[in-house]
Amino acid sequence: MSISNKDYDLLQPDGYSYILYSEENNTTYHKPLANPLQLKHSQFVVKCRPTYVDHLTQNNITIQATNSDEFLAQLNTPKLKDLTPSILDSIIFHLHFLNENTSLKQLSKRYQCDTKNIENLFKRSVGLSFIQYQNILITLRRPTY
């Protein structure tokens, strides 16, 4: 998606990771956000699974491009496409798509992980606590009138 209607737009928190590429040949990574992210005119935005940015930083993978076509081509390389989803990806998929509020204890039983391990994975990989992340999802599910 490219922002071009105004000088900037706000990306509301939705629990996903984002990679932003700007005209200045600058690529930035953003873990799931607790606050809106300001997007500048003519930035390219790639929405990723919530743990993707952590996978990139953990594996010291940087995306360097001199134009938007090169940026998009790099996202299609085997090195980036082959990043293996983790147990946290499964847990987050569960939270997003089963559309239910689940406790750490329930997730611990279902995915056979310690609750402290799940909480630590959220803090390290996502940058938010489990409760903060779940609150974002709850806010997104509320009907707006």
Side-chain angles (χ1 to χ4, degrees):
M1 144 171 121
S2 177
I3 305 300
S4 59
N5 295 342
K6 307 179 226 173
D7 289 340
Y8 70 91
D9 204 352
L10 290 178
L11 178 64
Q12 296 300 321
D14 63 359
Y16 288 90
S17 293
Y18 286 88
I19 302 172
L20 278 56
Y21 174 78
S22 67
E23 288 179 332
E24 298 84 32
N25 304 327
N26 185 21
T27 303
T28 56
Y29 298 147
H30 297 275
K31 290 184 177 184
L33 313 166
N35 299 309
L37 174 66
Q38 185 172 319
L39 302 174
K40 298 176 190 169
H41 174 71
S42 71
Q43 280 183 313
F44 287 87
V45 181
V46 178
K47 184 176 185 174
C48 312
R49 69 179 185 254
T51 60
Y52 193 73
V53 164
D54 186 58
H55 289 301
L56 294 175
T57 54
Q58 291 271 327
N59 292 298
N60 295 319
I61 297 172
T62 56
I63 300 173
Q64 297 178 340
T66 57
N67 59 52
S68 58
D69 290 336
E70 191 176 305
F71 168 72
L72 295 173
Q74 282 197 30
L75 292 174
N76 228 5
T77 60
K79 185 177 186 178
L80 293 181
K81 289 171 84 175
D82 291 342
L83 288 175
T84 307
S86 67
I87 186 78
L88 184 57
D89 288 305
S90 298
I91 291 169
I92 289 173
F93 180 84
H94 175 100
L95 293 172
H96 273 265
F97 296 105
L98 291 184
N99 231 3
E100 60 187 38
N101 293 338
T102 307
S103 71
L104 271 174
K105 189 173 182 177
Q106 291 169 318
L107 291 171
S108 174
K109 284 181 182 179
R110 182 177 183 124
Y111 293 98
Q112 300 174 356
C113 295
D114 182 58
T115 56
K116 288 181 182 180
N117 186 31
I118 295 171
E119 185 66 42
N120 289 336
L121 286 171
F122 267 93
K123 286 181 181 176
R124 189 197 82 230
S125 296
V126 177
L128 300 170
S129 71
F130 170 77
I131 295 298
Q132 289 174 308
Y133 191 85
Q134 194 168 43
N135 285 340
I136 289 172
L137 296 180
I138 290 168
T139 302
L140 291 171
R141 290 182 190 132
R142 277 193 199 126
T144 54
Y145 301 101

